[in-house]
Amino acid sequence: MGTVSFDDDIRVKDDSGAAEEWEQPTELKYVDAVNMLAKEIMQIYRPVRNKGELYIYHDGRWIDGADAEAILDQYIKSRYYALGLDSKFVFPQLCGTVQAQVEREAPPVEPTDGIMFRNGLFRWEKEDGVYYPKFTPVTEGDIPFTRYNLPYDFPAELLQEAREKGWHPFRAMPPAAMRAFARWNGRAALLLLELIGYATFTREYIWNTAVMLIGEGSNGKSTYLKLVRDLFSPHVSGLSLQVIASPEGNFQRIRLRNSLVNIFADLPRQPLRYTEWFKALTGGDQVTADRKNREPIEFVNIAKMFFATNELPIVHDISNAFFRRWVIVEFPHQFPPDPHFYDHTFPSEDRSKILVAGILAFEQALRRGGFSMGGKGSNAAEYREYWMRETNNVYAWVQERIEDGLLIKDENGVISLKEVYDDYIEWCNDREEEAVSKKTFSERMEQLGYKRKRTTRERLLQGLRKPIPHDTQLY
């Protein structure tokens, strides 16, 4: 376990171990100023290195990157003026030299798996092939080096009692919170709890699952996501699915590196043209992310993906490799606006209890080997079917025609493109749906596996045909 010891007394100690206050030197040489400031930073911020990155401990959590640099810059600047060094040395040069020395002196440390709370470390342990939650109080002054630090106490006694007595996860829930989950979607209330516990699993991106909440407005989606955000802040990023999946999103994806969850509450209807990055980030693959004015960095994402939308985006990738990564939860009910609902239902003192309930629910899911029912489907094929019918009326039309026996799938069969497009237009008109152009229709049919062919007389689609009398005898 990577642990860094902290002294309560942050004064510099001489060789005898006696503490002495900093004194402003009368004549300070450049090298002495650098050494002194570097020593102060080592004492106060306990910097460590991991995979080439410098981390400092500040305000109850470990910080790296530009945020860490800004904190050190500010500290060095305050000392620069307090010691009167502004009349002797150029600040940018001094600051850069001090930070370079700190980076050299910072010890390399491997991060401890888990989440650090104010009162100790939570992590998932494995014994005899079974995962179980474990909380370890931390000795005062010894702070594990973890990437994830949450600014509240973990209710360890509640977790212990619930597990010893075999409580159902709902029993650990505050009553007001339990009522809210049931009102949103009673069938999926346990699933929504499991997904909160899912986000505490930092060992890997287990089960490769992302979460999509769907439903019209004022139905609880945003409130649930606000709860998830408050539980895991500050380790929350906010990238849309389109940005995560896009080749142009490479400078944005670095924000996932130190996140426990990624939350985007109102996905645009913009089609999802690429999915390779999404599949890599949810698949436990090592990815490379660009950083402005810095070297690219490699990491394995563990931030669980939560998205919400009124309407699912159109997806160009119709493979099971994409759809098996989803849990889709419907929020079917609408509620009148209540500006005080969240604070009354999820007060800050209750949120850690909801986290424990989520951990208990996810522990049960781990033992089952999967999430509970309650989503819009239970496997990739069902999620694919639901998503495609909701977003692609060409798919919905052809599937309905096949189910009704009006079209037959036949790899050797052909049918007139004009004829089927005319039927599709009539189908859309009957349902008051917006039809796509003939060009888009033929492209989407080809994406579905029906290839376009051309003869001297007409354009055809291969893979479909009209039924013949022999076909109807089969029904």
Side-chain angles (χ1 to χ4, degrees):
M1 177 185 296
T3 302
V4 181
S5 296
F6 281 71
D7 293 318
D8 292 334
D9 190 344
I10 63 171
R11 294 174 292 173
V12 174
K13 298 182 179 180
D14 61 23
D15 294 338
S16 67
E20 59 180 11
E21 299 285 356
W22 286 116
E23 295 181 0
Q24 180 172 336
T26 53
E27 288 295 333
L28 197 61
K29 296 180 180 179
Y30 184 81
V31 65
D32 295 329
V34 170
N35 289 335
M36 183 183 71
L37 292 173
K39 192 173 184 179
E40 290 184 29
I41 289 171
M42 296 295 293
Q43 183 77 9
I44 296 170
Y45 295 105
R46 295 298 181 186
V48 297
R49 286 182 292 112
N50 176 251
K51 295 184 178 179
E53 293 296 300
L54 182 74
Y55 290 79
I56 63 171
Y57 192 77
H58 175 70
D59 197 23
R61 65 189 184 101
W62 292 96
I63 300 171
D64 72 334
D67 291 339
E69 289 181 7
I71 291 168
L72 296 185
D73 280 356
Q74 186 61 39
Y75 178 81
I76 295 169
K77 182 177 288 186
S78 68
R79 297 292 287 154
Y80 176 76
Y81 288 109
L83 295 171
L85 301 180
D86 53 315
S87 62
K88 300 180 178 68
F89 311 121
V90 177
F91 175 74
Q93 181 183 3
L94 179 68
C95 185
T97 306
V98 171
Q99 292 211 28
Q101 180 158 323
V102 168
E103 290 194 26
R104 288 195 300 271
E105 294 182 2
V109 178
E110 284 300 311
T112 298
D113 173 60
I115 302 171
M116 187 68 196
F117 291 82
R118 288 191 310 198
N119 58 333
L121 178 71
F122 172 83
R123 61 191 298 187
W124 289 91
E125 298 275 4
K126 193 174 187 179
E127 185 175 298
D128 298 329
V130 177
Y131 286 109
Y132 66 95
K134 181 179 180 181
F135 180 81
T136 306
V138 173
T139 305
E140 186 175 354
D142 290 333
I143 306 297
F145 169 55
T146 61
R147 288 201 174 95
Y148 314 107
N149 302 264
L150 298 182
Y152 56 92
D153 289 335
F154 184 84
E157 293 181 359
L158 176 62
L159 177 66
Q160 181 179 353
E161 181 181 8
R163 296 188 72 242
E164 287 178 352
K165 296 181 177 179
W167 286 3
H168 189 282
F170 290 160
R171 186 171 177 182
M173 286 275 280
M178 185 66 252
R179 287 193 296 270
F181 275 57
R183 288 177 67 200
W184 291 336
N185 183 336
R187 183 170 174 265
L190 182 61
L191 174 59
L192 292 172
L193 265 186
E194 291 169 356
L195 294 171
I196 288 174
Y198 182 49
T200 68
F201 198 93
T202 60
R203 297 170 67 103
E204 59 180 299
Y205 204 124
I206 190 172
W207 296 351
N208 314 126
T209 299
V211 182
M212 184 71 77
L213 312 180
I214 60 170
E216 296 299 326
S218 301
N219 55 15
K221 300 192 308 293
S222 296
T223 306
Y224 174 78
L225 291 181
K226 177 174 171 52
L227 173 63
V228 175
R229 180 183 296 278
D230 286 347
L231 286 173
F232 296 107
S233 182
H235 297 284
V236 180
S237 50
L239 305 181
S240 73
L241 179 58
Q242 287 83 352
V243 168
I244 285 172
S246 169
E248 289 76 39
N250 211 25
F251 281 103
Q252 301 292 327
R253 285 187 283 266
I254 187 62
R255 294 162 60 185
L256 298 170
R257 181 169 174 259
N258 288 327
S259 295
L260 287 165
V261 292
N262 179 79
I263 298 173
F264 199 91
D266 191 11
L267 278 183
R269 192 81 165 93
Q270 176 186 351
L272 192 65
R273 300 183 182 280
Y274 310 98
T275 59
E276 288 77 11
W277 272 102
F278 168 76
K279 288 185 284 192
L281 289 164
T282 54
D285 298 336
Q286 184 163 284
V287 298
T288 301
D290 292 330
R291 299 182 292 176
K292 292 182 179 178
N293 303 319
R294 303 185 70 187
E295 291 294 317
I297 191 168
E298 293 183 342
F299 71 100
V300 176
N301 174 59
I302 65 94
K304 308 308 185 293
M305 309 281 187
F306 287 77
F307 304 103
T309 184
N310 293 343
E311 296 182 52
L312 291 166
I314 294 172
V315 179
H316 288 201
D317 181 354
I318 60 174
S319 68
N320 278 351
F322 173 77
F323 289 103
R324 69 177 175 80
R325 283 173 156 77
W326 289 100
V327 165
I328 302 176
V329 185
E330 186 177 16
F331 281 61
H333 309 296
Q334 291 187 297
F335 307 100
D338 180 355
H340 306 294
F341 175 80
Y342 184 82
D343 290 335
H344 289 166
T345 308
F346 306 108
S348 57
E349 62 269 20
D350 282 356
R351 292 172 201 159
S352 62
K353 299 173 186 176
I354 299 170
L355 182 66
V356 167
I359 289 167
L360 294 170
F362 186 60
E363 182 181 15
Q364 292 182 357
L366 285 168
R367 292 180 183 277
R368 284 195 309 269
F371 293 113
S372 64
M373 299 297 290
K376 298 291 289 186
S378 60
N379 55 50
E382 290 180 7
Y383 284 132
R384 177 183 183 274
E385 184 69 13
Y386 174 77
W387 196 313
M388 292 293 289
R389 285 184 185 258
E390 287 290 308
T391 61
N392 187 338
N393 62 14
V394 175
Y395 177 85
W397 163 80
V398 73
Q399 289 298 103
E400 184 175 308
R401 289 299 190 243
I402 291 171
E403 290 164 1
D404 292 343
L406 300 177
L407 290 174
I408 304 296
K409 289 187 72 170
D410 182 344
E411 63 180 15
N412 297 316
V414 292
I415 196 167
S416 164
L417 175 59
K418 180 182 184 307
E419 185 175 352
V420 291
Y421 182 68
D422 288 345
D423 183 65
Y424 161 76
I425 293 291
E426 183 178 346
W427 182 89
C428 288
N429 291 337
D430 290 343
R431 288 157 181 77
E432 297 183 349
E433 290 200 23
E434 183 177 353
V436 300
S437 68
K438 190 173 183 178
K439 179 176 182 295
T440 301
F441 174 85
S442 63
E443 289 172 350
R444 290 189 182 177
M445 288 294 286
E446 190 157 43
Q447 288 173 352
L448 297 174
Y450 306 110
K451 296 181 180 180
R452 289 176 284 187
K453 295 185 67 175
R454 180 193 288 269
T455 69
T456 55
R457 297 177 54 191
E458 60 180 339
R459 296 178 180 179
L460 304 171
L461 287 175
Q462 183 172 351
L464 285 174
R465 62 174 173 80
K466 290 181 178 181
I468 56 178
H470 173 71
D471 295 318
T472 59
Q473 294 173 10
L474 298 179
Y475 290 94

